[in-house]
Amino acid sequence: MKRLGDILVESGFLNASELAEALSTQKETGKRLGEVIVESGLMTEFDILRAVSSQYDYPIIDLSSIEVDPKATALLTQKFCEENVVLPIGFDDDKLVVAIDDPMNITIEDELQFQTGYQITMMLATHSSILDAVKVNYGKENAAKAAEELGADLEGDEVAENSDIAEAVNSAPVVKLVNSMIDYAIRAGSSDIHIEPMEDRVRVRIRIDGVMQEIMSNPLSAREAE
C-alpha cells in the first residue's frame, strides 16, 4: 500500500522537496501528514482527498448535501466517530455506508464491521467535514432524546426528590431539552432558534445561512410543561 506522501508526489500535487519539509514538520509536531500539508498551505483538504481517491475505489461524498439516517448513526457512538473520524450515513441494501477520511487505515473497515454487525461500504469525505457532521448529527439526536425523556416524564407526572436544588434543576427534562437544542444549534452554525407554540404541538426551528430548518416537533404535552 502506497504512503500518502508518495501518492501526492506521484499525482503531481507535491514535489520531493515539499514532501521532505512536510515530513520533517510532522516528525517535530506529531501531527498527521495531511494536517501538516494543509496547515502549510501546500494543498487543501479536498486536494488531498482527490489524490487519495484516485488510488482507491472509494467515491467522494459531500456531507453537507445529504441527509444522514439516524438509524445509521445509532449504530456507533459519537466518541467512536470522533476518535476514528468516521460517520455512518445510511444504508445501501444490507450494507452500512460510512464516510471516512483515511482509506489507508487498513483496520477501520474490520473495526466498523465488528462495532455495527454490518458489512461496510466506505466513501471519502474531508477530515473537517466528517467531524463537523458528527457534531451536528449527534447533537440533533441528543436533542431528540431529551424531548422523549421530557414526554415520558410528563406522561408519568413524576416529580424528582432531590435535596440539591441546583442538581435537580439541571437534571430536569425541560432543562435537558433546552440545553440540547442550544448545543445543537451552536454546532450546526445557527444564528437563531425559534420555538413556536402551535395548536397541537410545539415546533422548533433554527436558521442556518438565512434558511429556516425544522429540527423538532413535539406534541402539546411538552408545551404544557412551561
Side-chain angles (χ1 to χ4, degrees), residues 68-81:
V68 174
D69 188 339
K71 292 180 180 178
T73 53
L75 295 171
L76 293 171
T77 66
Q78 180 174 355
K79 181 180 179 181
F80 178 90
C81 291

Side-chain angles (χ1 to χ4, degrees), residues 69-74 136-146 184:
D69 188 339
K71 292 180 180 178
T73 53
V136 168
N137 285 281
Y138 281 91
K140 190 172 184 178
E141 286 187 8
N142 291 338
K145 183 178 179 181
Y184 171 68

Side-chain angles (χ1 to χ4, degrees), residues 138-182:
Y138 281 91
K140 190 172 184 178
E141 286 187 8
N142 291 338
K145 183 178 179 181
E148 290 177 4
E149 291 178 355
L150 172 59
D153 185 79
L154 291 172
E155 288 176 6
D157 195 25
E158 298 175 355
V159 178
E161 295 182 2
N162 197 317
S163 58
D164 188 336
I165 296 177
E167 181 179 346
V169 169
N170 288 330
S171 64
V174 174
V175 175
K176 286 183 179 180
L177 175 59
V178 173
N179 287 341
S180 294
M181 287 191 299
I182 294 173

Side-chain angles (χ1 to χ4, degrees), residues 5-17:
D6 295 332
I7 292 174
L8 298 182
V9 171
E10 291 178 8
S11 301
F13 285 98
L14 294 181
N15 58 44
S17 176

Side-chain angles (χ1 to χ4, degrees), residues 77-94:
T77 66
Q78 180 174 355
K79 181 180 179 181
F80 178 90
C81 291
E82 290 176 337
E83 289 179 348
N84 293 277
V85 195
V86 299
L87 178 67
I89 57 179
F91 299 89
D92 181 12
D93 293 330
D94 58 346

Side-chain angles (χ1 to χ4, degrees), residues 205-216:
R205 297 192 296 166
I206 60 176
R207 189 188 308 276
I208 301 177
D209 296 330
V211 179
M212 298 297 295
Q213 299 182 19
E214 182 176 306
I215 64 169
M216 193 179 303

